[in-house]
Amino acid sequence: MKISSSLRLFSFVCLLSHVQVWGSKFPPSSIKDASTPGNIVPNKFIVEVEDASSIPGKRDTGLVSREAHESLYDSLRKRDVGFKVDKEFNSKGLFVGAAVTLTDAKDRAKVLDISGVKAVRPVVFIPAPKPVSVKVVKDPSDPAVPPDSESTHVLTGVDKLHAQGITGSGVKIGIIDTGIDYTHPVLGGAIGPGHKIIGGFDFVGDDYDGSNTPVPDSDPLDQCNGHGTHVAGIIGADPDNAFNISGVAFGASLTSYRVFGCTGGVTDDVLIEALLRGVSEGQDILTMSLGGSSGWTETSSAVVSSRIADSGKVVTIAAGNDGAVGAFFSSSPGNAISAISVASLDNTVIPLQNATVVGVTHDHITYFSTFPFPVNATLPIFATSTDPTVVDDACDPLPDDTPDLSGFLVIIRRGTCTFVQKMTNVGAKGGKVALIYDNGTGFTAIDVGNFTATLIQQADGVFLVNEFAKGTNVSISFPQEGSSFQFPDAAGGLISSFSSIGPTNDMFFKPAIAAPGGNILSTLPVPLGSFGVESGTSMATPFIAGVSALLFGVKGNGASVGTTARTLFETTAQRVSSSHTDGDPLQSVAMQGAGLVNAFDAIHSDIVVSPGEFLLNDTANFKSSQTFSVKNTGTTAKSFKVSHVPAGTLQAFQPGTAFFQDAPVPFLSQTATVTFSETSFTVQSGQTQKLTAHFTPPAGVNSSLLPIYSGFIDISNANETFHVSYLGVAASLKDVPVVDTSDFFFGVNLPALGDSDGNFVLDPRNFTFVGDDFPTLVMRLDFGTPLLLVDLVDQDIQLKTSLNKRDREPLITFPSTAKSGTFAQVKTLGPLLEFDFVPRNSDVNDGTGFNPFAIENVFANGTTVPNGSYRILLRALKVTGDRTKEEDFESWLSPIVGVQAPA
Ligand SMILES: *[C@@H]1O[C@H](CO)[C@@H](O)[C@H](O)[C@H]1NC(C)=O
Ligand SMILES: *[C@@H]1O[C@H](CO)[C@@H](O)[C@H](O)[C@H]1NC(C)=O
Ligand SMILES: *[C@@H]1O[C@H](CO)[C@@H](O)[C@H](O)[C@H]1NC(C)=O
Ligand SMILES: *[C@@H]1O[C@H](CO)[C@@H](O)[C@H](O)[C@H]1NC(C)=O
Ligand SMILES: *[C@@H]1O[C@H](CO)[C@@H](O)[C@H](O)[C@H]1NC(C)=O
Ligand SMILES: *[C@@H]1O[C@H](CO)[C@@H](O)[C@H](O)[C@H]1NC(C)=O
Ligand SMILES: *[C@@H]1O[C@H](CO)[C@@H](O)[C@H](O)[C@H]1NC(C)=O
Ligand SMILES: *[C@@H]1O[C@H](CO)[C@@H](O)[C@H](O)[C@H]1NC(C)=O
């Protein structure tokens, strides 16, 4: 198997005409060989072993012992496995094992064979947390102070807790991120005992990018990236600052675990190291605003996060910013079963600036900037076009007769080319400052590189252009004080469109809860501007970490508080609608989780509802009957009514295809129906009422659309409301196609073999496996698979595969080869590749769109394949399928591949 050193571009010259005919989506030149799918790092594995204490005959001293590790390494050496130890983990009860690099990835099978080895999971690369938008403030000492930006605290009741003096003091939060600029005055100005930031560790160093070797040191200072400093401010910013912002739990003690360098990502062995250190240093809460799309609950860092949460700590993790690519695309480690995965809600206001219009009567013009433009002069306007409907304004170099623009404020219409291109053309004529008016796309932050320019609303732009065309003398000034404006965001108060959509492939309830994450003002490193507005589930996640600190602060730091935190947050959350239009359904639970956190009720309510989630699963594993309890910890009896409040049913698939819907995912009108053992009850002080709910999935839905239904069991009276959230899918997941067989992406039906000359190989073909002369298996996963196998088989194998029929209707006829026979009955010559828990592909050509596997003439155990003629058998286990049953796999057989390696 070739690895990254053999990366090679396909040109697919011969296919181009065919591609045009069929209108494929991805250019064949985008195929680069890889040895592993998605974000799996070649050759690196995390080996989990039994605790030394569980090895028979060993005395459990409770002390950390390295015997388990030594015994693992001995066994590896005895089996001739070449390996290098990258990290050791020794946290009894949580994780004992090692991150290793195998000289030959094919030795994984030998490692799994060693007794005492519990699991061998691939190391996963997690990309850098990418805020959806960033607006860096230019001048930290700017006198223009936005008014109180604590709208997020008002939305969630945090302001009322602060008013009661509840600030999280005495609670310890570990922030696993890019480090923190602790020199920031609002974050205490220093690090160490007695300060807000009580300590930290840098696991990686500035230059680490996820592909090179980490260089740890003891100082987690970050003045080059900034993400972790924004996160830290959301939790801990001290209130006495010029911006009138405060952290959710500004009394808490923070520790910074730095796992990202200045740029790039991280591998999850580093995350595990940080998580375990956080536990050993006594953090009550660990928060991670990071993750990569996965759909599975099984990556190492997810498994460790979940165990830490089970032990009574709160672990908050971002749900991800992949909402655009549809459902079943939740991120890992956020999928950790017992962790709290956090969705993002758009803030209801955005702190922006007003400009003043001179020379004509017009209201202030709001421009998309947190701080005033650094412009003192009152500038006359110059419009690059007098036509307020021009589609490609300033996309070409400006005409020769354009005046010197250095003394003007330039007005440009949005559209066609990038903002930077428009500004470059304006800059070529001396222009320095510009306002770009929206063309109807939306009033948002934009990327203008380092130009002084930003967006204004369409109506303001049209007004200015019309006045300019009339020859009116219009000028604009940018007041440096008193001009900040809490712009009401029309989309505010709804789940952010970027927030990743669950559930997990095995129907776990992700995300769990929502918090404000869109347009959040917080701290940035001092050299990067000190304050800024960012958006992302990265901003929502520390909010929940902060609320958890307030909870621990009130109820004590005990494990029983930690293990019930998620349920408290979920059962007291505020339900969020799917739109601001009356009559539209509530947002799907697969997007909002249980709703927007209500910190005040979660902490002060004397009614405790449990559980917070009903996991109804799919139709084949349907859990129709669910019980819940309502406990009255107060002093007076309370009466409640029980009712069903459905949320929107997501139509996850595009009709007639096996492809997921991109956002916005449409709703189906049908919802589940529910009956209750009681519809009203009274619970006395100190008593618990138990109830049962019986669910029926939505009737009359087309299961091939993969309808995700959800909603709430409402328990309320005139004063209080609680809910249990439910989630299910009205289809059998085992019937959902896994492997893409369409020609939509490459113009030929997938899976397919490609060669280095840019051809798909449809007929028998010999390869020498010298240099570029080897085949590449190109495949896409429409849905995740728990097990992906590539085996070599005899060229004459008699096997009825499920996918080779080219005229198969893609989705409507789910393949149901109800033949008997077990997995073991298929006669293979040996495995070539094997991967567990592979995520589904997206429809975006960004590395997540498909999987190209380079095929080598070597079996998975390292033995060379003898020269001869073979076929390649691809098998993907269907979700919820049984790995011992051949009929639970989709299968595809390649054309004959001859191995003709020179002697
Ligand atoms: C900012 O401009 C908006 C729109 O014209 C106006 O409603 C608001 O009152 C202005 N606020 C300030 C502080 O100038
Ligand atoms: C604007 O005026 C202030 C105070 O007079 C001065 O400090 C600043 O440099 C000026 N800014 C620009 C961009 O001219
Ligand atoms: C606005 O500009 C965007 C970006 O170029 C473009 O995609 C969109 O079609 C334009 N919309 C209108 C109404 O011109
Ligand atoms: C502005 O951006 C351009 C293009 O990215 C870059 O070449 C230039 O150095 C930047 N200038 C400053 C002052 O940062
Ligand atoms: C749904 O059922 C499948 C098959 O039994 C199981 O693997 C999975 O864990 C279940 N999901 C949940 C959330 O219980
Ligand atoms: C609701 O609150 C009011 C005022 O606190 C109280 O008088 C009333 O009894 C409460 N109603 C219920 C149903 O608990
Ligand atoms: C592959 O090589 C073998 C051995 O030289 C030969 O018999 C066979 O015909 C070749 N197959 C193709 C498709 O070229
Ligand atoms: C390696 O795997 C191949 C194919 O399964 C098998 O024939 C061979 O015996 C194995 N070699 C070793 C050393 O286990």
Side-chain angles (χ1 to χ4, degrees):
M1 185 167 39
K2 301 280 192 291
I3 54 170
S4 44
S5 61
S6 73
L7 283 187
R8 153 184 78 114
L9 283 178
F10 273 57
S11 56
F12 281 84
V13 181
C14 311
L15 266 170
L16 282 177
S17 60
H18 186 61
V19 166
Q20 270 158 6
V21 169
W22 293 98
S24 74
K25 193 169 154 64
F26 292 172
S29 61
S30 64
I31 300 178
K32 297 182 180 64
D33 290 335
S35 54
T36 54
N39 287 340
I40 294 175
V41 180
N43 289 51
K44 287 187 182 284
F45 296 91
I46 296 174
V47 184
E48 181 176 8
V49 297
E50 308 275 1
D51 276 21
S53 58
S54 59
I55 295 174
K58 296 284 184 248
R59 198 160 49 94
D60 181 6
T61 59
L63 292 173
V64 172
S65 146
R66 293 197 58 267
E67 273 169 88
H69 297 90
E70 287 310 331
S71 131
L72 169 68
Y73 307 149
D74 275 350
S75 306
L76 290 173
R77 284 186 285 260
K78 279 201 197 106
R79 280 155 214 246
D80 277 330
V81 174
F83 69 100
K84 181 174 132 305
V85 178
D86 299 320
K87 289 186 192 308
E88 281 186 356
F89 309 111
N90 207 341
S91 195
K92 224 182 124 218
L94 291 176
F95 201 83
V96 178
V100 297
T101 305
L102 299 185
T103 313
D104 193 333
K106 296 169 183 69
D107 283 339
R108 175 179 186 251
K110 291 191 197 168
V111 183
L112 261 173
D113 252 15
I114 296 170
S115 81
V117 168
K118 286 164 75 175
V120 180
R121 299 185 182 91
V123 168
V124 176
F125 175 85
I126 293 173
K130 256 194 314 237
V132 175
S133 64
V134 189
K135 186 68 203 163
V136 179
V137 154
K138 292 198 182 67
D139 181 359
S141 64
D142 199 296
V145 177
D148 179 13
S149 305
E150 298 301 51
S151 49
T152 61
H153 294 184
V154 177
L155 283 172
T156 54
V158 167
D159 58 335
K160 290 189 276 175
L161 294 168
H162 285 178
Q164 296 176 334
I166 297 166
T167 64
S169 62
V171 181
K172 291 170 72 178
I173 306 179
I175 300 175
I176 299 175
D177 210 293
T178 66
I180 298 178
D181 183 2
Y182 48 76
T183 69
H184 200 302
V186 167
L187 297 174
I191 188 169
H195 296 284
K196 175 186 296 292
I197 316 281
I198 57 174
F201 190 77
D202 180 353
F203 292 90
V204 294
D206 278 4
D207 295 336
Y208 178 71
D209 64 9
S211 68
N212 50 7
T213 304
V215 183
D217 65 68
S218 60
D219 185 356
L221 181 69
D222 167 25
Q223 295 191 316
C224 60
N225 186 308
H227 185 267
T229 303
H230 203 269
V231 163
I234 290 167
I235 298 176
D238 280 325
D240 290 325
N241 60 75
F243 300 89
N244 206 11
I245 58 167
S246 64
V248 173
F250 59 84
S253 298
L254 310 186
T255 301
S256 171
Y257 299 113
R258 185 178 193 223
V259 297
F260 291 98
C262 294
T263 58
V266 63
T267 52
D268 67 347
D269 52 334
V270 178
L271 294 187
I272 294 173
E273 201 180 11
L275 283 162
L276 296 178
R277 186 173 177 128
V279 172
S280 73
E281 293 184 349
Q283 307 301 335
D284 302 302
I285 298 157
L286 289 162
T287 189
M288 294 192 284
S289 288
L290 51 82
S293 57
S294 155
W296 294 106
T297 56
E298 300 295 329
T299 62
S300 295
S301 55
V303 168
V304 173
S305 299
S306 196
R307 288 181 194 159
I308 293 172
D310 287 335
S311 78
K313 312 286 182 189
V314 167
V315 184
T316 51
I317 313 177
N321 298 340
D322 291 314
V325 291
F328 285 101
F329 212 63
S330 56
S331 127
S332 195
N335 285 338
I337 289 175
S338 300
I340 304 180
S341 159
V342 188
S344 168
L345 179 108
D346 282 338
N347 199 353
T348 47
V349 297
I350 315 172
L352 298 180
Q353 288 291 324
N354 273 358
T356 304
V357 183
V358 180
V360 59
T361 306
H362 188 72
D363 285 343
H364 293 293
I365 290 180
T366 304
Y367 58 105
F368 216 100
S369 174
T370 313
F371 286 80
F373 273 3
V375 174
N376 292 330
T378 298
L379 297 176
I381 62 169
F382 179 88
T384 44
S385 169
T386 52
D387 173 6
T389 62
V390 57
V391 292
D392 58 351
D393 198 10
C395 288
D396 293 320
L398 301 185
D400 290 344
D401 61 357
T402 307
D404 173 12
L405 295 178
S406 59
F408 288 95
L409 170 67
V410 184
I411 310 294
I412 314 164
R413 188 169 192 264
R414 179 181 199 165
T416 305
C417 60
T418 65
F419 301 110
V420 169
Q421 186 176 336
K422 289 173 192 274
M423 288 308 297
T424 303
N425 290 330
V426 166
K429 293 288 180 189
K432 292 194 169 64
V433 190
L435 293 176
I436 301 168
Y437 60 102
D438 187 31
N439 66 350
T441 304
F443 190 44
T444 53
I446 58 171
D447 178 12
V448 290
N450 51 22
F451 291 104
T452 302
T454 190
L455 211 60
I456 59 174
Q457 294 172 89
Q458 187 162 19
D460 289 327
V462 171
F463 172 82
L464 293 175
V465 168
N466 285 339
E467 292 300 318
F468 179 77
K470 275 193 270 175
T472 319
N473 256 341
V474 180
S475 301
I476 287 184
S477 70
F478 298 93
Q480 302 296 298
E481 282 184 48
S483 59
S484 72
F485 175 49
Q486 295 285 64
F487 179 78
D489 181 9
L494 299 178
I495 298 300
S496 311
S497 57
F498 57 73
S499 200
S500 289
I501 310 173
T504 68
N505 294 338
D506 39 9
M507 291 305 294
F508 282 90
F509 187 103
K510 302 291 169 189
I513 191 98
N519 295 309
I520 306 300
L521 176 62
S522 181
T523 45
L524 286 180
V526 175
L528 299 183
S530 289
F531 292 91
V533 176
E534 298 196 7
S535 293
T537 53
S538 283
M539 283 66 242
T541 304
F543 200 97
I544 298 295
V547 173
S548 305
L550 301 181
L551 176 73
F552 277 126
V554 171
K555 304 214 168 180
N557 310 31
S560 64
V561 176
T563 49
T564 52
R566 187 173 77 187
T567 298
L568 276 179
F569 298 158
E570 288 175 339
T571 53
T572 55
Q574 314 166 64
R575 296 189 281 255
V576 179
S577 185
S578 62
S579 85
H580 287 308
T581 306
D582 272 359
D584 278 358
L586 289 169
Q587 186 53 274
S588 168
V589 164
M591 284 193 76
Q592 69 167 315
L596 173 65
V597 70
N598 181 337
F600 189 85
D601 285 4
I603 289 171
H604 285 312
S605 175
D606 53 16
I607 295 291
V608 179
V609 175
S610 179
E613 308 170 350
F614 290 147
L615 309 173
L616 305 186
N617 219 329
D618 68 352
T619 49
N621 302 282
F622 186 51
K623 300 277 182 296
S624 64
S625 182
Q626 301 277 350
T627 57
F628 60 108
S629 65
V630 179
K631 183 176 175 188
N632 186 350
T633 68
T635 52
T636 57
K638 289 191 178 179
S639 298
F640 292 98
K641 283 192 162 31
V642 183
S643 61
H644 172 219
V645 181
T649 297
L650 293 177
Q651 178 202 310
F653 266 164
Q654 300 173 34
T657 74
F659 301 142
F660 277 89
Q661 287 275 7
D662 284 338
V665 181
F667 289 124
L668 295 166
S669 59
Q670 298 94 329
T671 59
T673 50
V674 193
T675 59
F676 304 102
S677 57
E678 257 87 24
T679 54
S680 64
F681 63 93
T682 299
V683 58
Q684 304 294 330
S685 162
Q687 300 297 302
T688 300
Q689 173 80 36
K690 285 203 184 306
L691 298 98
T692 305
H694 271 281
F695 289 85
T696 309
V701 291
N702 179 350
S703 64
S704 71
L705 297 174
L706 202 55
I708 301 170
Y709 63 95
S710 62
F712 308 93
I713 303 311
D714 185 88
I715 304 136
S716 59
N717 61 33
N719 297 340
E720 292 169 294
T721 170
F722 304 91
H723 62 246
V724 183
S725 310
Y726 69 85
L727 176 82
V729 64
S732 168
L733 293 183
K734 210 162 76 175
D735 291 341
V736 177
V738 172
V739 177
D740 183 9
T741 57
S742 78
D743 63 0
F744 181 74
F745 286 89
F746 288 100
V748 297
N749 292 93
L750 296 180
L753 294 181
D755 71 9
S756 61
D757 293 334
N759 298 304
F760 282 115
V761 180
L762 305 173
D763 298 313
R765 171 84 169 268
N766 284 335
F767 292 90
T768 61
F769 295 87
V770 174
D772 273 353
D773 191 27
F774 60 90
T776 293
L777 173 61
V778 181
M779 57 98 50
R780 285 188 75 255
L781 287 171
D782 285 332
F783 198 28
T785 177
L787 182 60
L788 182 68
L789 301 171
V790 180
D791 286 281
L792 202 66
V793 295
D794 194 278
Q795 60 170 323
D796 298 323
I797 189 169
Q798 295 302 307
L799 182 67
K800 195 151 186 288
T801 57
S802 68
L803 301 179
N804 283 75
K805 213 167 86 218
R806 285 303 183 194
D807 57 351
R808 186 185 142 230
E809 288 284 307
L811 171 86
I812 302 125
T813 57
F814 286 143
S816 68
T817 43
K819 293 182 293 122
S820 61
T822 68
F823 181 73
Q825 281 167 359
V826 176
K827 204 170 156 297
T828 71
L829 300 172
L832 297 171
L833 302 168
E834 175 176 340
F835 303 106
D836 293 324
F837 301 111
V838 187
R840 79 166 170 95
N841 289 111
S842 73
D843 57 359
V844 186
N845 189 9
D846 64 352
T848 61
F850 61 95
N851 299 309
F853 297 123
I855 302 293
E856 244 194 320
N857 59 332
V858 180
F859 287 112
N861 64 5
T863 301
T864 302
V865 174
N867 282 359
S869 289
Y870 308 94
R871 290 180 198 263
I872 293 165
L873 173 63
L874 169 76
R875 283 176 294 180
L877 182 60
K878 291 186 269 185
V879 175
T880 72
D882 178 342
R883 53 179 72 200
T884 67
K885 289 186 177 159
E886 181 64 21
E887 58 268 31
D888 283 2
F889 287 79
E890 289 185 356
S891 54
W892 174 83
L893 210 48
S894 78
I896 293 172
V897 172
V899 176
Q900 295 298 332

